[in-house]
Amino acid sequence: MRKRVTASFARRCVSAVPFKFIALFLFVLAMSCTDVFARAGGGEGYGGGGGSGSGGDSGGGDVFILYLLLNLCIRHPVIGIPLLIIAAVLYFKYGNQLQAKRQSGVIRRGRQMQTNAAVENAVERIHARDPQFTQAQLLSRLKKAFLCVQEDWGRQELRAARAFMSDGMVERFELQFLEQRERGVRNEMRDVRVTDIVLVQAESDALFDTVTVRITASAVDVTKDLKTDARVAGSNGAQAFTEFWSFVRRPGAKTLQGDGLIEGNCPNCGARLQLNESAQCASCGAVVRSGEYDWILTEITQACEWVAVESAAVPGVEALRAADPGLCIQHLEDRAGVMFWRYVAALRQGRIDPMRKMAAESFCAELKKRFEPGPQGRRRYFGECAIGAVETEGVLHGEDYDRAVMGVRWSGAAYSVGTDSAPRREAEAHVIYNLFVLIRKHGVKTDLSLSLSSAHCPSCGAAVHEEVANACAYCGAILNDGSSDWVLEDILNVYTPEAQALREKIRATDPTVISRRSASALEQAAWMVQVMLADGTIDEKETEALRHFADRRQIPRERLESMMAAGRAGALTVSAPENQEEANEWLDSIAEIVLADGVVSPKEKEAMVNMARRLHFTETDIRQVLARKRTELYQQSKAQVKMHQNKSGEV
């Protein structure tokens, strides 16, 4: 009898509750639970247009649900109280996941808005100088440049692309072509299709406009025998890849109404372009690769190595600009890039000629010693080289000479060669970080028209070829004494006392200046490998966690395996923290990388814990770092979203 009364009472209670009220509550609760059970970090509800709501804090929805529950408990306790209990259980069981998911959405949207805002501000500055400038036209032309470079790459000849490349880029391609020809092969990218091209970074200062585009494309990557044209390696189908391409031009350059360097014409006189030895148009004599007339390609970076470089002061640069107003980072980094490729060529050839006009006599004398064969009659060098980044760490002033300290992150495989034998690969390619120390006589001024022509004579503009003499073959100017441009004084391992002393001097010049860039995903992975191998072993579980970290950051599996092999052999040289304070900063940096999309997978967390354990951190420390960094990113992103809403008039 009691059961029938209770059931009857329940039916009366249910019938007394307005149907629309129950339906609305269940709908809201269902929508809330959908977020709880959705794939974490899968991007649901997030898009360029805003996705779920405004993308800001969704606490208002929680208050509304709580109001419905309390109202239902008061008016209809038989239904409201059980629902409140169910809701409480769900909240305590899944609430943290739901909160993390909401924060992830805000972080993703806020960071994207921050990037977009920075690009828009720079584009506005460029547009103020150049009213005809548009992103659409820029992206269309840079897509043409990308396709042009792919064609020249397959031909092993910079037939068309040379016109819009800096000297550093030309040296890079020429050396890679030479290495391929020595191996009797050529690489070809067939059926190239650009699926997306996006402007991801733009800067505009007194000396240069700089733009970086993210290019997503697909192609069939094939290596062929030079004699038979038969395929010796490569993929059967098209594979997708992402690269970041950076271009610069001088502030006075204007958007062309006709064809320019990318299309094969002189941007000054309009004639079909033919370059002479001094990189001048044969028709009008304009130095067209200076950036004065058109965009020049200065860097190609793989996705795993690219880092958005924040525009910031470099220690010592502003002080030196008082005496040299044209001093620019672009020239220093292009010059260091040329020096790197010539250094690699000198090691491979076993002769000083490639470096003769770009390095001080003292460096050339030391380099010659490395050409001597080892105990087994074999000489060592690096092959399959690639530059990950060239950055200016700082400039030091001296009474006689000024010094520029350049950080060069690169990778290469160790080779050896005997007098009567073919080259032999001794070790897998791995990441190396060196300091290139450049010197120049105090008082020398930068010629901005030649700032991207680092392999040309600063006196007459003629191309600097590989010759025994240290003087220009055309005008006779001595090129390796620092009297006209920067020359290489030394290459240092970052762990040597000399390198540490230089960095201390740089920091002392202006302690308030912060680093211009964060470590890339590849650099962080290399550091993790180095730290985890400090005790000599990485077990299978740790290896799997590292592989997951690499996969999520678009680091090719073979690159990771090469770094691990180099680490086991004690040959992994990467920039690493110098003390506990810097180690904390690097952990923060890794946390920011893994939280870039707002989500930390269990494998990523495991990789961080494995590494941190070697640095005497605990798992609790890592949890605290991740929680703190997530909160920081969430608050920053939330503020960015609100600022965007206020600016656009959203309610």
Side-chain angles (χ1 to χ4, degrees):
M1 181 66 180
R2 180 173 296 179
K3 289 183 179 180
R4 287 199 298 271
V5 170
T6 304
S8 175
F9 175 73
R11 283 195 297 271
R12 287 198 303 273
C13 289
V14 171
S15 63
V17 179
F19 175 76
K20 291 182 179 179
F21 185 88
I22 296 177
L24 175 62
F25 171 75
L26 292 177
F27 174 75
V28 173
L29 184 62
M31 291 301 98
S32 175
C33 290
T34 298
D35 275 345
V36 172
F37 293 107
R39 177 170 56 89
E44 292 85 0
Y46 172 73
S52 57
S54 67
D57 195 353
S58 55
D62 295 339
V63 174
F64 180 59
I65 293 172
L66 182 60
Y67 166 76
L68 288 178
L69 275 171
L70 292 176
N71 194 26
L72 190 59
C73 288
I74 294 170
R75 295 177 57 188
H76 309 285
V78 174
I79 295 175
I81 291 175
L83 284 176
L84 180 62
I85 294 172
I86 293 172
V89 171
L90 287 174
Y91 179 80
F92 283 109
K93 188 172 183 180
Y94 300 107
N96 289 336
Q97 295 179 24
L98 179 57
Q99 183 183 16
K101 185 173 175 60
R102 286 173 174 169
Q103 289 182 347
S104 299
V106 174
I107 291 172
R108 288 193 298 267
R109 190 179 183 204
R111 287 170 71 88
Q112 186 61 53
M113 285 179 176
Q114 188 173 13
T115 299
N116 292 344
V119 170
E120 288 170 4
N121 290 337
V123 167
E124 287 176 4
R125 290 195 297 273
I126 296 174
H127 191 266
R129 294 172 173 172
D130 177 13
Q132 301 300 316
F133 174 83
T134 66
Q135 279 198 55
Q137 194 223 30
L138 173 70
L139 295 178
S140 175
R141 295 194 69 220
L142 300 192
K143 178 180 176 180
K144 290 179 185 176
F146 173 81
L147 295 173
C148 176
V149 171
Q150 307 310 315
E151 290 180 7
D152 280 5
W153 173 260
R155 288 192 291 255
Q156 289 187 339
E157 179 186 3
L158 293 177
R159 188 179 304 170
R162 182 187 296 270
F164 58 84
M165 282 184 169
S166 72
D167 274 3
M169 290 299 300
V170 170
E171 294 277 331
R172 166 181 176 172
F173 274 73
E174 294 288 6
L175 180 64
Q176 290 172 331
F177 290 157
L178 181 60
E179 283 191 341
Q180 288 180 20
R181 286 192 290 267
E182 288 179 350
R183 300 203 316 266
V185 300
R186 69 179 176 87
N187 184 253
E188 181 180 287
M189 303 292 281
R190 295 197 320 237
D191 301 327
V192 181
R193 288 180 172 80
V194 177
T195 56
D196 192 27
I197 178 168
V198 180
L199 181 62
V200 295
Q201 191 170 28
E203 292 183 318
S204 182
D205 58 31
L207 299 176
F208 281 98
D209 293 332
T210 306
V211 296
T212 299
V213 291
R214 183 184 66 234
I215 301 175
T216 304
S218 64
V220 179
D221 186 354
V222 177
T223 301
K224 293 185 174 182
D225 185 279
L226 277 177
K227 294 181 179 178
T228 65
D229 206 40
R231 193 182 79 168
V232 295
S235 58
N236 294 319
Q239 296 181 333
F241 61 96
T242 300
E243 294 176 342
F244 291 80
W245 289 42
S246 298
F247 295 79
V248 303
R249 72 175 188 180
R250 296 277 289 130
K254 304 295 182 185
T255 297
L256 300 171
Q257 299 307 305
D259 292 340
L261 295 177
I262 294 170
E263 294 78 18
N265 287 9
C266 173
N268 184 50
C269 69
R272 197 65 186 165
L273 186 63
Q274 288 186 329
L275 292 175
N276 61 21
E277 274 283 318
S278 300
Q280 296 172 314
C281 171
S283 298
C284 68
V287 183
V288 293
R289 292 168 58 211
S290 62
E292 293 280 358
Y293 305 95
D294 206 351
W295 294 100
I296 303 297
L297 175 63
T298 58
E299 191 57 74
I300 298 174
T301 309
Q302 302 304 308
C304 63
E305 297 190 271
W306 188 76
V307 176
V309 180
E310 296 182 5
S311 180
V314 176
V317 168
E318 286 303 320
L320 189 55
R321 276 185 181 151
D324 178 15
L327 178 69
C328 60
I329 299 301
Q330 289 83 355
H331 174 58
L332 283 170
E333 295 178 357
D334 191 66
R335 182 82 170 165
V338 172
M339 290 172 177
F340 168 80
W341 291 113
R342 297 218 168 182
Y343 166 68
V344 169
L347 289 177
R348 192 187 74 257
Q349 298 171 19
R351 58 193 185 96
I352 206 68
D353 299 9
M355 290 296 300
R356 196 70 179 84
K357 293 179 172 62
M358 307 200 80
E361 292 292 343
S362 58
F363 179 83
C364 291
E366 287 298 317
L367 185 59
K368 282 183 180 179
K369 298 177 183 178
R370 296 189 57 180
F371 300 156
E372 297 296 324
Q376 298 179 345
R378 301 184 68 84
R379 178 175 54 79
R380 295 177 66 85
Y381 67 94
F382 286 98
E384 304 168 39
C385 296
I387 286 183
V390 178
E391 59 179 345
T392 308
E393 293 204 359
V395 175
L396 298 170
H397 313 151
E399 293 183 3
D400 298 322
Y401 287 91
D402 298 319
R403 284 174 171 79
V405 181
M406 316 299 296
V408 180
R409 188 179 73 250
W410 59 286
S411 63
Y415 278 79
S416 70
V417 62
T419 54
D420 299 319
S421 60
R424 184 173 67 204
R425 205 169 195 258
E426 301 285 355
E428 296 295 320
H430 59 279
V431 178
I432 302 170
Y433 196 96
N434 289 130
L435 296 185
F436 278 49
V437 184
L438 281 53
I439 61 171
R440 189 182 69 173
K441 287 185 177 179
H442 188 72
V444 176
K445 291 182 170 53
T446 303
D447 183 350
L448 280 172
S449 67
L450 296 175
S451 58
L452 302 177
S453 299
S454 301
H456 286 72
C457 174
S459 296
C460 69
V464 175
H465 298 292
E466 298 179 5
E467 299 166 336
V468 176
N470 64 350
C472 174
Y474 292 87
C475 70
I478 302 299
L479 300 178
N480 72 336
D481 63 354
S483 61
S484 55
D485 205 349
W486 298 94
V487 296
L488 183 63
E489 181 187 40
D490 207 352
I491 297 177
L492 301 175
N493 183 305
V494 290
Y495 297 121
T496 61
E498 294 84 356
Q500 300 305 317
L502 273 176
R503 284 180 158 177
E504 285 297 329
K505 287 182 180 179
I506 290 170
R507 281 191 284 266
T509 60
D510 189 349
T512 64
V513 174
I514 59 173
S515 174
R516 296 173 59 228
R517 58 178 295 276
S518 302
S520 69
L522 184 69
E523 199 170 359
Q524 295 283 13
W527 181 56
M528 293 171 76
V529 168
Q530 188 178 54
V531 171
M532 292 170 70
L533 274 170
D535 59 3
T537 60
I538 299 180
D539 61 35
E540 187 57 38
K541 189 176 180 182
E542 292 172 333
T543 300
E544 188 58 35
L546 273 174
R547 287 171 179 163
H548 180 84
F549 177 90
D551 290 343
R552 292 255 298 179
R553 309 297 153 218
Q554 300 184 53
I555 300 173
R557 182 64 62 86
E558 59 271 17
R559 296 290 297 274
L560 179 66
E561 300 298 334
S562 295
M563 287 191 295
M564 293 173 67
R568 292 187 182 97
L572 187 61
T573 305
V574 296
S575 181
E578 299 174 17
N579 49 51
Q580 190 63 40
E581 182 180 353
E582 286 194 11
N584 293 338
E585 293 174 359
W586 275 58
L587 279 178
D588 268 16
S589 181
I590 293 178
E592 187 164 348
I593 285 178
V594 300
L595 279 166
D597 58 359
V599 177
V600 182
S601 71
K603 288 288 186 183
E604 286 174 320
K605 181 180 175 182
E606 183 180 342
M608 288 189 68
V609 169
N610 292 336
M611 178 199 66
R613 202 163 44 236
R614 268 87 164 179
L615 296 172
H616 309 293
F617 290 100
T618 66
E619 184 172 350
T620 301
D621 293 328
I622 296 303
R623 286 177 179 171
Q624 290 175 348
V625 168
L626 289 171
R628 176 171 49 77
K629 182 57 65 174
R630 176 189 285 278
T631 300
E632 288 177 9
L633 293 175
Y634 173 67
Q635 295 298 335
Q636 293 170 7
S637 299
K638 185 177 174 182
Q640 186 69 39
V641 169
K642 288 184 177 180
M643 184 171 65
H644 175 77
Q645 291 171 348
N646 294 335
K647 186 176 179 181
S648 60
E650 294 181 16
V651 179

